[in-house]
Amino acid sequence: RRPGSSAAARARTGRGRGFANLASLILFAGILGAGSLPLLELVRWPLIAGGAVLTIAGALGMWHAPRDASAMPDKRPAARAFRLSHALLFVAIVAAMLALSAFLSMRFGGGSVLLASMFVALAETHAAAASVAQLFQAGTLPVDTARWGVIGMLAASVVAKSVVAFSTGGPRYGLRVTAGLLTMLAAAAGVAWWWPPGPVGGAA
């Protein structure tokens, strides 16, 4: 392998990271919708704004990415579309989160539920999203609490992904990834702030 090829490969990965984060955001939205369509309707414009930012970042990154095939790793790890252990872990986290949320809601109210969700989102954003969507659908969470809770889960995800980016790719890669994620979060939070939600069917 040519000297510097690892650095070039990391650069290419960093520039295309916007599309990977976009895919994660789309999955996040899909899980929200599967658990509660009214909640997805409630946060659709903030999510669209965040997705637009990631799309632009990914497109710009790929446009400036190196075209030299030698900059890519010689070997790629084998990928598996489905892993039973991951699915079981996801179900276990959701079940535990729902049980904890029910307890916290009875003792301390909806705010504590969302605080717990944000902590869970540091490790597994999609499981936290599934839990919050089900709680909203059941009428446990008020509209504003659930709406800003989704933004809070995105913020927790940004923290977790930024830490991983810095630890695995170094300062330059970490700064590039974090900048894109923070811009996405700012766009989503800005739209949530300036665009008050209208009536939502099925909301508490």
Side-chain angles (χ1 to χ4, degrees):
R1 185 183 302 179
R2 292 188 340 177
S5 63
S6 296
R10 282 199 301 271
R12 185 181 179 94
T13 302
R15 288 166 180 158
R17 189 66 186 177
F19 285 133
N21 289 326
L22 175 63
S24 180
L25 183 65
I26 292 172
L27 178 58
F28 179 82
I31 291 173
L32 287 179
S36 174
L37 281 175
L39 179 57
L40 180 59
E41 178 186 353
L42 187 67
V43 297
R44 67 185 184 279
W45 292 116
L47 293 181
I48 288 173
V53 168
L54 293 177
T55 300
I56 293 170
L60 290 176
M62 294 304 294
W63 178 262
H64 294 289
R67 268 62 174 183
D68 187 358
S70 64
M72 297 303 293
D74 295 333
K75 295 182 180 180
R76 298 181 182 179
R80 295 177 61 184
F82 177 80
R83 291 187 179 181
L84 180 60
S85 60
H86 290 180
L88 292 175
L89 178 61
F90 182 88
V91 171
I93 292 174
V94 171
M97 186 62 203
L98 288 174
L100 177 62
S101 298
F103 172 77
L104 292 175
S105 181
M106 289 188 297
R107 292 292 300 272
F108 306 107
S112 61
V113 172
L114 291 181
L115 183 61
S117 298
M118 284 186 278
F119 277 109
V120 172
L122 288 170
E124 179 47 75
T125 308
H126 300 126
S131 302
V132 169
Q134 292 182 44
L135 291 169
F136 182 79
Q137 187 67 22
T140 303
L141 298 177
V143 167
D144 283 341
T145 303
R147 184 165 172 257
W148 285 105
V150 171
I151 302 299
M153 285 188 289
L154 289 179
S157 176
V158 167
V159 171
K161 290 179 179 178
S162 297
V163 169
V164 171
F166 274 99
S167 63
T168 60
R172 291 185 62 185
Y173 176 78
L175 285 173
R176 186 180 295 117
V177 171
T178 301
L181 289 171
L182 286 177
T183 306
M184 176 276 295
L185 179 62
V191 170
W193 180 266
W194 289 106
W195 198 312
V200 178

